[in-house]
Amino acid sequence: MDVKPHKPGSAPTAPKTAAAYKRVPPAKPQKSGWVKRVLARIPQLLPSSCALCGDAGRDTLCTPCRQRFFTRQHRRCIQCALPMPAVGKELRCGACLKNKPAFDATIVATDYFAPSDQLVLALKFSGDLRLAPLLAELIRNAALRSPLPGSDIQLPLPTMLAAVPLGRARLQERGFNQALEIAKPLSRLLDIQLHPYLLERVKETQAQSGLPLVARGRNIRKAFVVPYDAMDHVRGRHVGIVDDVMTTGETLNELAATLKRFGAKRVTNLVFARTPPG
């Protein structure tokens, strides 16, 4: 199936499964230029507050909080993004060298600890969707900088994006997929096409966070497939998987293994927060 190129400045689109084509909503009328400009300025004119400290302002994250919590960098394993010693020549941590994951690289914006964890919790469990573009922006910033501060090493960016899919029951319960909500603005920020139907969860699983570490691999095994209509778009491609939090990496590892079984050449995780070891 051919993919039509998207117009500059518009959100990239992706091929959908056959089921998705059964009901096509009517096209929305085009807004005139001045209406678009007015609507774009409304969020800037409305009162707002910082999502972390609560100070009044126009930005979702105030400048002091941004500088304090999201500008510091430490050396990370280029494969799983766990913190590594500040000095050394090795690019991968001992765990990745011993048991190589199916994914090739991981890009994260921060570690999962207070107060940045509150952004994830507010998006995921309180439905504060205004935070999704912020998390996408912070991931974009991380993707454009070196994983090893002070070096000229730069990880290659994916050529297509997909979000970690939710099962039907979890999606109905929550009402949205937080990974997909992050992936939409991230696609625009990086100018990388988003394929929302590239991956499908075919097995309802328990929440990974509620399971002991040894059980998480079994819980997620064979939970995903690449739908038939998307198979041709995976072969030979560099796929980026978007998610909010990476804990043990079992879910992302299973997704990467699935993509590579269907011919993906390289898989990179793009995640907002990485849970530190221990």
Side-chain angles (χ1 to χ4, degrees):
M1 183 186 299
D2 294 331
V3 180
K4 296 181 180 180
H6 66 274
K7 298 178 181 179
S10 63
T13 57
K16 301 183 178 181
T17 59
Y21 281 109
K22 292 181 179 178
R23 289 179 291 178
V24 180
K28 296 181 179 179
Q30 295 294 319
K31 298 183 180 69
S32 61
W34 71 269
V35 173
K36 289 182 180 180
R37 289 193 294 272
V38 170
L39 292 177
R41 287 183 58 83
I42 286 178
Q44 301 173 14
L45 299 174
L46 293 175
S48 184
S49 60
C50 175
L52 289 183
C53 70
D55 280 357
R58 292 182 178 178
D59 297 325
T60 309
L61 185 67
C62 70
T63 300
C65 283
R66 185 182 293 270
Q67 293 176 344
R68 181 178 181 184
F69 301 115
F70 297 103
T71 57
R72 297 178 184 175
Q73 296 184 60
H74 47 242
R75 199 166 181 268
R76 295 182 181 276
C77 170
I78 64 170
Q79 194 155 14
C80 75
L82 280 178
M84 289 181 63
V87 294
K89 295 182 179 180
E90 187 54 61
L91 303 180
R92 293 172 174 80
C93 66
C96 287
L97 290 173
K98 183 178 180 181
N99 297 302
K100 185 178 179 181
F103 49 79
D104 300 276
T106 300
I107 295 168
V108 299
T110 186
D111 289 310
Y112 189 70
F113 53 56
S116 57
D117 59 342
Q118 297 305 308
L119 299 177
V120 174
L121 297 174
L123 170 62
K124 195 170 185 176
F125 299 113
S126 298
D128 191 349
L129 296 180
R130 72 183 178 122
L131 296 176
L134 171 63
L135 269 57
E137 178 196 346
L138 295 170
I139 295 173
R140 186 275 310 270
N141 294 344
L144 298 181
R145 67 187 181 222
S146 171
L148 304 178
S151 75
D152 57 357
I153 294 176
Q154 189 69 45
L155 293 174
L157 291 178
T159 57
M160 60 193 305
L161 294 182
V164 175
L166 286 182
R168 290 184 179 180
R170 192 70 51 77
L171 185 59
Q172 289 176 353
E173 175 187 350
R174 189 170 297 160
F176 64 94
N177 178 354
Q178 75 280 355
L180 182 57
E181 294 303 318
I182 297 170
K184 290 174 184 177
L186 183 62
S187 170
R188 294 190 291 269
L189 289 169
L190 291 175
D191 194 24
I192 299 175
Q193 192 173 45
L194 173 63
H195 292 246
Y197 303 96
L198 189 70
L199 292 160
E200 181 180 344
R201 188 185 289 253
V202 294
K203 172 184 170 184
E204 292 287 350
T205 59
Q206 298 181 57
Q208 291 284 81
S209 58
L211 296 174
L213 297 181
V214 294
R216 296 186 180 189
R218 293 194 305 270
N219 179 55
I220 206 70
R221 193 165 297 127
K222 296 183 179 179
F224 307 103
V225 297
V226 174
Y228 177 79
D229 290 350
M231 290 180 186
D232 288 341
H233 298 283
V234 171
R235 295 189 185 99
R237 302 291 295 278
H238 179 182
V239 183
I241 306 176
V242 181
D243 204 3
D244 56 345
V245 180
M246 179 177 181
T247 305
T248 62
E250 292 289 354
T251 299
L252 291 165
N253 191 63
E254 182 66 23
L255 281 165
T258 301
L259 286 166
K260 288 193 171 180
R261 282 199 301 271
F262 284 87
K265 183 179 181 180
R266 182 178 176 89
V267 178
T268 294
N269 305 317
L270 296 116
V271 184
F272 172 66
R274 180 65 159 106
T275 301

